[in-house]
């Protein structure tokens, strides 16, 4: 009897221990699976970032490409079973608008780029994404399989090819297409509205570029990427469609902070009844607007292109596996708003002499792009945009001019026949003597070019062009010198700074007026 009792007691004890063991093992496996899943999810953006150079479309190396440059990239994918390529309409000038479909999943995503002709960063990134989707045996095969089985992607690259031809924001008609969703006076807007009606996409990506001078909040940091979960009414209501936009943006912001910390911003969500983003959201598609801004040292936006590649693919991953629903929509409002607090160059605390009196002033200078060579290239033309107390503002580049006096430079007395002769001058020697301007002879052949540039760090005046008078100030071309006593310490030529004690002999950014 005792033996039987002991047997039963031991058996119960063993069963209890086994149940505890199985329970703990089950909990461990669930935890391990969750941690592994999170690690894999966190790892994907970094892996995409590292692999971008492998899939970067090498025929697109600068921003000012035209439709003729991307048509061969689309044509070479004709017949590839991965894609379905369809002509969906024409621009005002008759250029074909094409849509590239990839994937067969239930969740439909419509992505369009360059509805503003001078906003091409996401167009470059789209062709990088196509190259990536064609890859294999690189560690991403499972990701591609999941993405293309769970989503169907519809890309419309370069929606405004007429604008891209001229590298201008608006269409050939002079209409801002992103303000044409309601009346649809442009054929390009009619095409986009037709695609939204036909496809009824679950998600949309409205892909833009913005000024490189937006700041991330009230800070010195340039907004490299900005987002907007567009509002579908004036009351800024949030329904499930818009909430998903916010969640997706929150997830993308977390990813981007690792690469551009403090340089992600968001637009004010004021409702724009003419805007495509606002209306597409109202029509039932979860819409994310992405703006590629500026990044110091990246004028052709090649690093920002890489961020687009990584961020868009990572967002599509969150759509494919529905993990975006884990994000908290309130975190969207923690992203700082776009601000206007950054100039290209700020000169601080310069001593200004006017009418026999002296005072301190700051100068805010921007370098503006001027197109040439059929808008395939550009040079900079810089202006003094603000003058006075700029302590709330910042510069992507700054000079502390404390103890330095600002003066306009002198005109060198010798005239020259052409820019080639000017390029042979010892620019450093002239600048140290306070000469910032050189003049061309009346028979110079540069007059037909209008405003133009030179790689010599001097300001070239055509015959008859008067040199600026008085102290450099608001609205003037940003050419001047900063002196300490009688010694010129800095020359600013066309908004670019030359330290005469550490003079760089590389290419300059002079201007011809």
């Amino acid at each position: 009897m005792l033996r039987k009792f002991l047997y039963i007691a031991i058996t119960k004890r063993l069963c209890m221990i086994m149940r505890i063991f199985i329970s703990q093992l089950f909990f461990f496996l669930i935890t391990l699976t969750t941690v592994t899943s999170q690690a894999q999810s966190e790892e994907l953006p970094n892996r995409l970032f590292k692999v971008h150079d492998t899939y970067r479309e090498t025929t697109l190396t600068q921003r000012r490409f035209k439709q003729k440059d991307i048509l061969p990239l689309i044509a070479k994918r004709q017949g590839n079973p991965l894609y379905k390529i369809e002509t969906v309409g024409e621009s005002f000038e008759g250029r074909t608008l094409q849509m590239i479909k990839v994937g067969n999943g239930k969740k439909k995503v419509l992505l369009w780029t360059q509805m503003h002709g001078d906003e091409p960063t996401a167009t470059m990134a789209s062709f990088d994404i196509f190259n990536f989707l064609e890859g294999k045996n690189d560690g991403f095969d499972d990701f591609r399989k999941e993405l293309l089985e769970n989503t169907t992607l519809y890309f419309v690259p370069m929606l405004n090819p007429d604008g891209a031809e001229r590298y201008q924001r608006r269409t050939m008609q002079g209409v801002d297409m992103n303000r044409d969703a309601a009346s649809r006076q442009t054929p390009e807007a009619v095409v986009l509205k037709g695609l939204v009606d036909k496809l009824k996409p679950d998600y949309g990506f409205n892909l833009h570029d913005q000024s490189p001078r937006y700041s991330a909040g009230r800070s010195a940091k340039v907004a490299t990427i900005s987002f907007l979960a567009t509002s579908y009414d004036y009351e800024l209501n949030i329904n499930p469609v818009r909430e998903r936009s916010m969640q997706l943006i929150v997830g993308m912001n977390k990813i981007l902070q690792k690469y551009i910390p403090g340089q992600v911003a968001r637009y004010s969500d004021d409702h724009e009844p003419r805007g495509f983003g606002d209306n597409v959201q109202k029509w039932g598609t979860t819409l994310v607007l992405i703006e590629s801004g500026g990044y110091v040292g990246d004028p052709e936006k090649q690093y920002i292109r890489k961020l687009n590649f990584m961020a868009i693919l990572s967002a599509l991953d969150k759509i494919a596996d529905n993990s975006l629903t884990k994000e908290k929509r309130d975190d969207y409002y923690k992203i700082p708003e776009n601000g206007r607090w950054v100039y290209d160059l700020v000169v601080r605390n310069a001593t200004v002499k006017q009418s026999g009196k002296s005072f301190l002033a700051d100068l805010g200078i921007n370098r503006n792009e001027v197109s040439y060579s059929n808008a395939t290239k550009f040079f900079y033309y810089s202006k003094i945009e603000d003058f006075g107390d700029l302590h709330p503002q910042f510069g992507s580049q700054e000079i502390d001019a404390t103890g330095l006096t600002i003066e306009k430079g002198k005109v060198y007395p010798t005239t020259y026949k052409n820019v080639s002769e000017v390029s042979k001058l010892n620019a450093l020697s002239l600048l140290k003597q306070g000469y910032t301007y050189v003049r061309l002879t009346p028979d110079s052949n540069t007059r037909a070019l209008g405003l133009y540039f030179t790689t010599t760090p001097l300001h070239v005046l055509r015959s008859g062009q008067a040199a600026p008078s008085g102290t450099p100030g608001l609205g003037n071309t940003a050419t001047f010198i900063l002196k300490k006593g009688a010694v010129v310490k800095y020359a600013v030529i066309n908004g670019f700074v030359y330290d005469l004690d550490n003079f760089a002999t590389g290419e300059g950014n002079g201007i011809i007026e």
Side-chain angles (χ1 to χ4, degrees), residues 223-272:
T224 300
I225 297 288
S226 294
F227 291 108
L228 177 60
T230 48
S231 303
Y232 54 85
D233 60 15
Y234 287 109
E235 292 72 31
L236 312 183
N237 285 311
I238 303 173
N239 62 6
V241 173
R242 186 170 181 231
E243 181 177 34
R244 287 191 292 272
S245 301
M246 294 176 168
Q247 291 172 313
L248 198 54
I249 288 169
V250 168
M252 296 173 79
N253 176 51
K254 287 180 179 178
I255 291 166
L256 286 166
Q257 287 298 333
K258 298 176 182 178
Y259 304 92
I260 44 171
Q263 291 187 249
V264 179
R266 64 180 173 88
Y267 272 89
S268 168
D269 55 359
D270 292 342
H271 177 56
E272 171 50 75

Side-chain angles (χ1 to χ4, degrees), residues 83-137:
Y83 304 104
K84 179 181 178 183
I85 299 172
E86 178 183 355
T87 297
V88 292
E90 288 187 348
S91 69
F92 186 79
E93 288 188 315
R95 294 181 173 88
T96 59
L97 304 177
Q98 294 179 292
M99 182 174 70
I100 303 169
K101 173 188 172 185
V102 56
N104 296 288
K106 183 178 179 181
K107 297 173 183 175
K108 293 179 285 186
V109 186
L110 176 62
L111 308 94
W112 64 93
T113 77
Q114 229 165 328
M115 69 189 313
H116 292 143
D118 58 352
E119 300 180 3
T121 303
T123 305
M124 294 187 285
S126 295
F127 286 97
D128 301 340
I129 289 172
F130 297 149
N131 289 341
F132 171 79
L133 294 176
E134 295 161 15
K136 59 183 179 180
N137 300 325

Side-chain angles (χ1 to χ4, degrees), residues 61-75:
T61 58
Q62 50 85 25
R63 289 180 284 131
R64 291 168 173 262
F65 53 87
K66 304 180 188 297
Q67 193 195 49
K68 67 178 179 61
D69 299 308
I70 68 169
L71 288 178
L73 301 177
I74 298 174

